[in-house]
mmCIF file of all heavy atoms in Angstrom:
data_model
loop_
_atom_site.group_PDB
_atom_site.id
_atom_site.type_symbol
_atom_site.label_atom_id
_atom_site.label_comp_id
_atom_site.label_asym_id
_atom_site.label_seq_id
_atom_site.Cartn_x
_atom_site.Cartn_y
_atom_site.Cartn_z
ATOM 1 N N ALA B 1 153.243 13.656 70.136
ATOM 2 C CA ALA B 1 154.056 12.413 70.624
ATOM 3 C C ALA B 1 155.512 12.788 70.601
ATOM 4 O O ALA B 1 156.252 12.036 71.302
ATOM 5 C CB ALA B 1 153.709 11.253 69.741
ATOM 6 N N ASP B 2 156.075 13.675 69.906
ATOM 7 C CA ASP B 2 157.436 13.981 69.774
ATOM 8 C C ASP B 2 157.926 14.842 70.968
ATOM 9 O O ASP B 2 159.156 14.688 71.289
ATOM 10 C CB ASP B 2 157.824 14.662 68.475
ATOM 11 C CG ASP B 2 157.588 13.765 67.239
ATOM 12 O OD1 ASP B 2 157.544 12.465 67.508
ATOM 13 O OD2 ASP B 2 157.300 14.279 66.188
ATOM 14 N N ALA B 3 157.053 15.625 71.545
ATOM 15 C CA ALA B 3 157.504 16.504 72.667
ATOM 16 C C ALA B 3 157.414 15.665 73.980
ATOM 17 O O ALA B 3 156.751 14.715 74.076
ATOM 18 C CB ALA B 3 156.504 17.666 72.761
ATOM 19 N N ARG B 4 158.215 16.208 74.897
ATOM 20 C CA ARG B 4 158.141 15.546 76.239
ATOM 21 C C ARG B 4 156.822 15.702 76.927
ATOM 22 O O ARG B 4 156.236 16.737 76.800
ATOM 23 C CB ARG B 4 159.281 16.146 77.114
ATOM 24 C CG ARG B 4 160.735 15.730 76.625
ATOM 25 C CD ARG B 4 161.768 16.161 77.551
ATOM 26 N NE ARG B 4 161.619 15.546 78.855
ATOM 27 C CZ ARG B 4 162.093 16.078 79.954
ATOM 28 N NH1 ARG B 4 162.756 17.183 79.993
ATOM 29 N NH2 ARG B 4 161.892 15.430 81.156
ATOM 30 N N PRO B 5 156.400 14.709 77.616
ATOM 31 C CA PRO B 5 155.054 14.698 78.200
ATOM 32 C C PRO B 5 155.082 15.449 79.480
ATOM 33 O O PRO B 5 156.057 15.725 80.106
ATOM 34 C CB PRO B 5 154.744 13.207 78.376
ATOM 35 C CG PRO B 5 156.068 12.628 78.650
ATOM 36 C CD PRO B 5 157.012 13.362 77.748
ATOM 37 N N LEU B 6 153.775 15.654 79.969
ATOM 38 C CA LEU B 6 153.522 16.186 81.311
ATOM 39 C C LEU B 6 152.850 15.168 82.151
ATOM 40 O O LEU B 6 152.095 14.353 81.649
ATOM 41 C CB LEU B 6 152.621 17.459 81.246
ATOM 42 C CG LEU B 6 153.240 18.743 80.625
ATOM 43 C CD1 LEU B 6 152.165 19.688 80.476
ATOM 44 C CD2 LEU B 6 154.335 19.285 81.434
ATOM 45 N N CYS B 7 153.061 15.215 83.484
ATOM 46 C CA CYS B 7 152.319 14.329 84.354
ATOM 47 C C CYS B 7 150.874 14.945 84.445
ATOM 48 O O CYS B 7 150.653 16.091 84.084
ATOM 49 C CB CYS B 7 152.939 14.242 85.725
ATOM 50 S SG CYS B 7 153.047 15.752 86.685
ATOM 51 N N ILE B 8 149.929 14.236 84.935
ATOM 52 C CA ILE B 8 148.580 14.621 85.022
ATOM 53 C C ILE B 8 148.423 15.922 85.880
ATOM 54 O O ILE B 8 147.758 16.814 85.486
ATOM 55 C CB ILE B 8 147.644 13.576 85.550
ATOM 56 C CG1 ILE B 8 147.629 12.375 84.542
ATOM 57 C CG2 ILE B 8 146.319 14.000 85.836
ATOM 58 C CD1 ILE B 8 146.894 11.083 85.058
ATOM 59 N N ASN B 9 149.149 15.945 87.038
ATOM 60 C CA ASN B 9 149.056 17.055 87.971
ATOM 61 C C ASN B 9 149.598 18.385 87.210
ATOM 62 O O ASN B 9 148.985 19.429 87.300
ATOM 63 C CB ASN B 9 149.897 16.881 89.233
ATOM 64 C CG ASN B 9 149.113 15.904 90.159
ATOM 65 O OD1 ASN B 9 147.880 15.802 90.070
ATOM 66 N ND2 ASN B 9 149.877 15.214 90.908
ATOM 67 N N CYS B 10 150.730 18.280 86.586
ATOM 68 C CA CYS B 10 151.285 19.471 85.901
ATOM 69 C C CYS B 10 150.405 19.826 84.734
ATOM 70 O O CYS B 10 150.196 20.999 84.456
ATOM 71 C CB CYS B 10 152.681 19.116 85.411
ATOM 72 S SG CYS B 10 153.832 18.947 86.774
ATOM 73 N N ALA B 11 149.816 18.875 84.012
ATOM 74 C CA ALA B 11 148.904 19.251 82.899
ATOM 75 C C ALA B 11 147.657 19.993 83.440
ATOM 76 O O ALA B 11 147.206 20.937 82.784
ATOM 77 C CB ALA B 11 148.482 17.961 82.140
ATOM 78 N N LEU B 12 147.095 19.533 84.518
ATOM 79 C CA LEU B 12 146.030 20.285 85.091
ATOM 80 C C LEU B 12 146.351 21.597 85.586
ATOM 81 O O LEU B 12 145.548 22.574 85.466
ATOM 82 C CB LEU B 12 145.387 19.375 86.253
ATOM 83 C CG LEU B 12 144.661 18.098 85.773
ATOM 84 C CD1 LEU B 12 144.268 17.245 87.028
ATOM 85 C CD2 LEU B 12 143.406 18.482 84.957
ATOM 86 N N LYS B 13 147.540 21.769 86.238
ATOM 87 C CA LYS B 13 147.949 23.088 86.574
ATOM 88 C C LYS B 13 148.118 24.062 85.437
ATOM 89 O O LYS B 13 147.802 25.215 85.508
ATOM 90 C CB LYS B 13 149.245 23.033 87.468
ATOM 91 C CG LYS B 13 149.072 22.506 88.824
ATOM 92 C CD LYS B 13 150.443 22.393 89.548
ATOM 93 C CE LYS B 13 150.289 21.657 90.895
ATOM 94 N NZ LYS B 13 151.622 21.427 91.515
ATOM 95 N N ASN B 14 148.780 23.541 84.399
ATOM 96 C CA ASN B 14 148.982 24.384 83.209
ATOM 97 C C ASN B 14 147.670 24.814 82.569
ATOM 98 O O ASN B 14 147.615 25.932 81.991
ATOM 99 C CB ASN B 14 149.851 23.679 82.178
ATOM 100 C CG ASN B 14 151.273 23.670 82.664
ATOM 101 O OD1 ASN B 14 151.700 24.327 83.571
ATOM 102 N ND2 ASN B 14 152.109 22.842 81.948
ATOM 103 N N SER B 15 146.733 24.009 82.587
ATOM 104 C CA SER B 15 145.354 24.211 81.946
ATOM 105 C C SER B 15 144.591 25.222 82.781
ATOM 106 O O SER B 15 143.617 25.765 82.246
ATOM 107 C CB SER B 15 144.657 22.991 81.657
ATOM 108 O OG SER B 15 144.249 22.318 82.891
ATOM 109 N N GLY B 16 144.871 25.411 84.077
ATOM 110 C CA GLY B 16 144.146 26.291 84.915
ATOM 111 C C GLY B 16 142.962 25.574 85.653
ATOM 112 O O GLY B 16 142.243 26.175 86.425
ATOM 113 N N VAL B 17 142.903 24.256 85.494
ATOM 114 C CA VAL B 17 141.833 23.505 86.247
ATOM 115 C C VAL B 17 142.228 23.410 87.704
ATOM 116 O O VAL B 17 141.428 23.537 88.582
ATOM 117 C CB VAL B 17 141.704 22.139 85.658
ATOM 118 C CG1 VAL B 17 140.717 21.263 86.468
ATOM 119 C CG2 VAL B 17 141.187 22.222 84.165
ATOM 120 N N ARG B 18 143.531 23.211 88.015
ATOM 121 C CA ARG B 18 143.954 23.075 89.362
ATOM 122 C C ARG B 18 145.127 24.080 89.536
ATOM 123 O O ARG B 18 145.917 24.324 88.706
ATOM 124 C CB ARG B 18 144.525 21.649 89.536
ATOM 125 C CG ARG B 18 144.658 21.255 90.962
ATOM 126 C CD ARG B 18 145.177 19.848 91.042
ATOM 127 N NE ARG B 18 144.177 18.878 90.719
ATOM 128 C CZ ARG B 18 144.416 17.650 90.470
ATOM 129 N NH1 ARG B 18 145.704 17.199 90.598
ATOM 130 N NH2 ARG B 18 143.539 16.752 90.158
ATOM 131 N N GLY B 19 145.064 24.700 90.687
ATOM 132 C CA GLY B 19 146.167 25.688 90.958
ATOM 133 C C GLY B 19 145.571 26.945 91.623
ATOM 134 O O GLY B 19 144.435 26.955 92.098
ATOM 135 N N SER B 20 146.361 27.948 91.667
ATOM 136 C CA SER B 20 146.014 29.207 92.314
ATOM 137 C C SER B 20 145.311 30.226 91.420
ATOM 138 O O SER B 20 145.076 31.284 91.885
ATOM 139 C CB SER B 20 147.236 29.818 92.999
ATOM 140 O OG SER B 20 148.191 30.131 91.985
ATOM 141 N N LYS B 21 145.088 29.883 90.262
ATOM 142 C CA LYS B 21 144.449 30.797 89.326
ATOM 143 C C LYS B 21 143.031 31.017 89.713
ATOM 144 O O LYS B 21 142.233 30.080 89.915
ATOM 145 C CB LYS B 21 144.484 30.187 87.903
ATOM 146 C CG LYS B 21 143.900 31.200 86.867
ATOM 147 C CD LYS B 21 143.982 30.542 85.458
ATOM 148 C CE LYS B 21 143.234 31.492 84.492
ATOM 149 N NZ LYS B 21 143.209 30.804 83.209
ATOM 150 N N LYS B 22 142.734 32.259 89.950
ATOM 151 C CA LYS B 22 141.360 32.606 90.378
ATOM 152 C C LYS B 22 140.492 32.887 89.135
ATOM 153 O O LYS B 22 140.801 33.595 88.254
ATOM 154 C CB LYS B 22 141.333 33.825 91.291
ATOM 155 C CG LYS B 22 142.126 33.580 92.538
ATOM 156 C CD LYS B 22 141.892 34.632 93.607
ATOM 157 C CE LYS B 22 142.711 34.214 94.775
ATOM 158 N NZ LYS B 22 142.220 34.788 95.955
ATOM 159 N N VAL B 23 139.268 32.259 89.150
ATOM 160 C CA VAL B 23 138.398 32.389 88.017
ATOM 161 C C VAL B 23 137.345 33.362 88.424
ATOM 162 O O VAL B 23 136.691 33.284 89.492
ATOM 163 C CB VAL B 23 137.763 31.036 87.684
ATOM 164 C CG1 VAL B 23 136.761 31.167 86.550
ATOM 165 C CG2 VAL B 23 138.793 29.953 87.325
ATOM 166 N N ARG B 24 137.105 34.320 87.623
ATOM 167 C CA ARG B 24 136.134 35.397 87.934
ATOM 168 C C ARG B 24 134.753 34.854 87.676
ATOM 169 O O ARG B 24 134.493 34.155 86.621
ATOM 170 C CB ARG B 24 136.433 36.623 86.980
ATOM 171 C CG ARG B 24 135.515 37.750 87.280
ATOM 172 C CD ARG B 24 135.932 38.887 86.441
ATOM 173 N NE ARG B 24 135.020 40.061 86.684
ATOM 174 C CZ ARG B 24 134.743 41.009 85.800
ATOM 175 N NH1 ARG B 24 135.472 41.033 84.735
ATOM 176 N NH2 ARG B 24 133.958 41.936 86.244
ATOM 177 N N PRO B 25 133.801 35.071 88.547
ATOM 178 C CA PRO B 25 132.459 34.598 88.316
ATOM 179 C C PRO B 25 131.788 35.356 87.086
ATOM 180 O O PRO B 25 132.124 36.410 86.809
ATOM 181 C CB PRO B 25 131.656 34.970 89.619
ATOM 182 C CG PRO B 25 132.465 35.848 90.295
ATOM 183 C CD PRO B 25 133.900 35.766 89.764
ATOM 184 N N SER B 26 130.827 34.595 86.460
ATOM 185 C CA SER B 26 130.227 35.080 85.329
ATOM 186 C C SER B 26 129.273 36.204 85.695
ATOM 187 O O SER B 26 128.968 36.449 86.875
ATOM 188 C CB SER B 26 129.447 34.029 84.622
ATOM 189 O OG SER B 26 128.327 33.592 85.406
ATOM 190 N N ARG B 27 128.829 36.887 84.694
ATOM 191 C CA ARG B 27 127.875 38.047 84.966
ATOM 192 C C ARG B 27 126.563 37.609 85.564
ATOM 193 O O ARG B 27 126.138 38.145 86.464
ATOM 194 C CB ARG B 27 127.592 38.742 83.592
ATOM 195 C CG ARG B 27 126.789 40.001 83.719
ATOM 196 C CD ARG B 27 126.574 40.637 82.439
ATOM 197 N NE ARG B 27 125.833 41.875 82.532
ATOM 198 C CZ ARG B 27 125.471 42.578 81.539
ATOM 199 N NH1 ARG B 27 125.857 42.310 80.269
ATOM 200 N NH2 ARG B 27 124.781 43.683 81.728
ATOM 201 N N ARG B 28 126.144 36.383 85.136
ATOM 202 C CA ARG B 28 124.857 35.847 85.722
ATOM 203 C C ARG B 28 125.079 35.566 87.223
ATOM 204 O O ARG B 28 124.271 35.808 88.023
ATOM 205 C CB ARG B 28 124.483 34.566 84.945
ATOM 206 C CG ARG B 28 123.226 33.942 85.532
ATOM 207 C CD ARG B 28 122.890 32.679 84.786
ATOM 208 N NE ARG B 28 122.312 33.105 83.478
ATOM 209 C CZ ARG B 28 121.967 32.263 82.551
ATOM 210 N NH1 ARG B 28 122.036 31.010 82.748
ATOM 211 N NH2 ARG B 28 121.471 32.698 81.403
ATOM 212 N N GLU B 29 126.269 34.898 87.529
ATOM 213 C CA GLU B 29 126.512 34.583 88.973
ATOM 214 C C GLU B 29 126.685 35.834 89.789
ATOM 215 O O GLU B 29 126.191 35.930 90.859
ATOM 216 C CB GLU B 29 127.795 33.774 88.958
ATOM 217 C CG GLU B 29 127.651 32.366 88.504
ATOM 218 C CD GLU B 29 128.996 31.703 88.316
ATOM 219 O OE1 GLU B 29 130.024 32.261 88.229
ATOM 220 O OE2 GLU B 29 128.952 30.433 88.337
#
């Protein structure tokens, strides 16, 4: 609560859920 917040879009980009980060498929896939 003491740190400055992020908007939802920026939080999703930082977490890797949304953005240009490519996720490698699993071994099973």
Side-chain angles (χ1 to χ4, degrees):
D2 295 335
R4 289 188 59 204
L6 290 172
C7 66
I8 294 173
N9 287 334
C10 291
L12 289 173
K13 285 180 187 175
N14 286 349
S15 68
V17 174
R18 197 180 287 169
S20 62
K21 180 181 177 184
K22 297 194 180 202
V23 179
R24 185 175 178 203
S26 67
R27 184 175 182 186
R28 178 181 288 179
E29 290 171 336

